[in-house]
Amino acid sequence: MLTDKSTQTRPADAAAAAISATSAPAAVDLESLICYFQGGYVPMRDAKISIMTHAFMYGTAVFEGIRAYWNADQGQLYGLFLREHVERIRHSCRIMMMEPVPAVDELVAIITEVVRRNGFREDAYIRPSFYKSTKAIGVRLHHLDHDLCVVALPFGNYIETEKGVRVMTSSWRRNADEALPARGKITGGYVNMAFQKSEAEMNGFDEAIVLTANGHASEASAANLFVVRDGVVLTPPVYDDILEGITRKAMIELCRSEGLPVEVRSIDRSELYIADEIFLCGTGVQVSPVIEVDHRAVGSGAVGPIGRAISERYFDAVRGRLPEFSHWLTPIGDPV
């Protein structure tokens, strides 16, 4: 039913200052935040790579985006799906021929230590990345070293969603698994998403819906897709070239806990035009109800009851207000 190294502070450089207000507060000195780099915890200003680094030259890196949510009443910061993200980045490493990598527990410990050392008392975003660190010219995956870095920074909304978002169907198709596997979060592959996102925003929309080569709705530029028809929640299958989303899995769990039937199947583009509701989900977009697709209103043209209810439940869960979803969370640091 719905219901430790310390250094003096330096100003952030121009690139840091250019980060939008919806990503990190303008006052944040990114260069002084602590990250994990080449086996130690250092200020970001000291974490530098050569322009000859293979990952920089060819996009041969994998990453995860992880959120941590601050609960002011409890004085507690919660990491969301830490183990699940770590397990997925280890899978991405295997796809990209990066082995060995640290075990899950070791990686979780490194990530939480980065966040703890920064002392965040606000929502944060964490990005661990394994990258091909060899300085080399030549397109390949084999015979290259790899390394790990982890950054964390204060982070708000990726897109504003309170009133719902407007989307368009992108002219850029999703890369197929046999070309560049979407189940791996491969840095170079996100150029595909960048084409889609820029096309949408430059045409006055908030997001893009991306189709497979067969014309099925796959996902958004960097978010999974859910469609509601006649009280049934639909989401595309893995074989429609989607990222195996961790938030997607949580949405399915959340919907079923609310008594909503969930069906995993291919979704045609035209189904988006006759849907009762649509919402996107992902670490970045969180839960984002869609109110318009290709200049067609979704349902009433306002955020629908299922999308609103699921969104409210999700945000209560990630901030530690719902004990039944405590398995999603990892407390970081002692309550303050």
Side-chain angles (χ1 to χ4, degrees):
M1 179 181 68
L2 284 180
T3 52
D4 299 313
K5 286 186 180 179
S6 61
T7 60
Q8 65 181 23
T9 299
R10 297 182 190 175
D13 61 17
I19 291 181
S20 71
T22 58
S23 298
V28 171
D29 179 4
L30 295 180
E31 295 290 89
S32 293
L33 293 176
I34 301 301
C35 66
Y36 182 85
F37 181 70
Q38 294 184 344
Y41 299 92
V42 300
M44 272 204 254
R45 71 173 65 91
D46 296 333
K48 307 297 182 184
I49 64 168
S50 167
I51 59 172
M52 281 293 296
T53 302
H54 198 271
F56 174 77
M57 301 289 282
Y58 299 105
T60 49
V62 300
F63 73 97
E64 284 293 320
I66 306 171
R67 278 192 184 262
Y69 289 91
W70 173 250
N71 184 314
D73 293 335
Q74 299 174 11
Q76 182 66 65
L77 187 68
Y78 291 105
L80 181 62
F81 302 121
L82 290 190
R83 294 188 68 85
E84 291 85 348
H85 281 287
V86 164
E87 288 166 352
R88 190 169 65 182
I89 199 172
R90 295 179 82 251
H91 292 160
S92 295
C93 285
R94 189 177 306 168
I95 292 171
M96 290 290 286
M97 301 179 70
M98 296 180 183
E99 293 188 287
V101 296
V104 170
D105 288 344
E106 183 179 353
L107 281 172
V108 169
I110 290 170
I111 290 167
T112 54
E113 181 63 11
V114 169
V115 178
R116 188 193 67 79
R117 290 189 182 218
N118 283 294
F120 297 130
R121 298 185 65 182
E122 57 193 307
D123 294 353
Y125 178 83
I126 311 151
R127 176 165 292 210
S129 178
F130 284 95
Y131 62 99
K132 299 285 188 179
S133 55
T134 299
K135 301 176 183 67
I137 296 292
V139 180
R140 67 183 189 275
L141 298 177
H142 63 292
H143 298 160
L144 296 169
D145 296 329
H146 60 272
D147 211 335
L148 167 67
C149 63
V150 181
V151 301
L153 63 155
F155 201 79
N157 291 331
Y158 179 65
I159 54 177
E160 296 300 331
T161 65
E162 184 177 346
K163 295 181 180 179
V165 297
R166 300 171 58 250
V167 305
M168 64 167 283
T169 303
S170 178
S171 64
W172 296 97
R173 297 297 177 99
R174 170 63 75 242
N175 46 270
D177 182 73
E178 61 268 26
L180 186 62
R183 65 166 40 85
K185 287 182 70 72
I186 301 167
T187 303
Y190 274 70
V191 173
N192 182 238
M193 289 74 160
F195 277 113
Q196 298 150 10
K197 182 71 169 178
S198 286
E199 179 184 38
E201 290 192 347
M202 293 175 73
N203 279 286
F205 295 87
D206 303 301
E207 246 309 341
I209 296 294
V210 189
L211 305 180
T212 67
N214 293 327
H216 293 140
S218 177
E219 53 186 5
S221 69
N224 288 124
L225 171 68
F226 284 82
V227 172
V228 181
R229 291 193 64 192
D230 300 323
V232 178
V233 181
L234 311 173
T235 192
V238 171
Y239 54 76
D240 275 342
D241 298 322
I242 69 168
L243 175 69
E244 293 180 317
I246 292 168
T247 311
R248 171 181 175 270
K249 184 177 179 181
M251 285 297 103
I252 293 173
E253 179 184 353
L254 192 56
C255 286
R256 287 174 173 161
S257 76
E258 294 294 302
L260 295 167
V262 178
E263 185 177 343
V264 179
R265 67 162 174 82
S266 293
I267 297 171
D268 293 328
R269 175 178 179 174
S270 61
E271 283 193 273
L272 302 177
Y273 301 157
I274 61 174
D276 300 318
E277 296 187 44
I278 298 173
F279 59 92
L280 309 175
C281 75
T283 299
V285 304
Q286 304 172 105
V287 182
S288 299
V290 176
I291 59 171
E292 181 183 311
V293 180
D294 294 342
H295 301 289
R296 297 164 175 85
V298 176
S300 67
V303 177
I306 291 177
R308 187 174 300 282
I310 292 299
S311 178
E312 290 173 356
R313 290 280 286 172
Y314 178 79
F315 284 110
D316 280 341
V318 300
R319 296 192 189 280
R321 300 184 187 123
L322 300 179
E324 61 267 40
F325 296 105
S326 61
H327 58 285
W328 292 2
L329 308 175
T330 300
I332 301 177
D334 296 326
V336 295

